[in-house]
Amino acid sequence: MMFWYDHDVSGWGWFAMTASIILFWALIITAAVFLFRALDRPHEHTHAPVAPTP
């Protein structure tokens, strides 16, 4: 019964947990947005063949 009276998360623990969850979801949403933009982008081939100069 080593931690009988002091087994709760402290204020800094709650802060770290909340910050890590927010950071986790921000990274997930950012990755989803980048993936959606990459898949939604039309494939444009703008490289026109260059005629050789004489």
Side-chain angles (χ1 to χ4, degrees):
M1 308 276 177
M2 198 157 119
F3 297 107
W4 185 259
Y5 292 107
D6 192 21
H7 63 280
D8 291 332
V9 178
S10 66
W12 285 109
W14 281 108
F15 174 74
M17 215 170 21
T18 303
S20 64
I21 291 296
I22 290 172
L23 181 64
F24 171 76
W25 282 110
L27 288 174
I28 294 295
I29 292 169
T30 303
V33 167
F34 280 133
L35 181 64
F36 178 75
R37 285 186 179 179
L39 294 176
D40 193 41
R41 181 179 306 159
H43 298 289
E44 297 178 7
H45 298 287
T46 58
H47 300 291
V50 177
T53 56

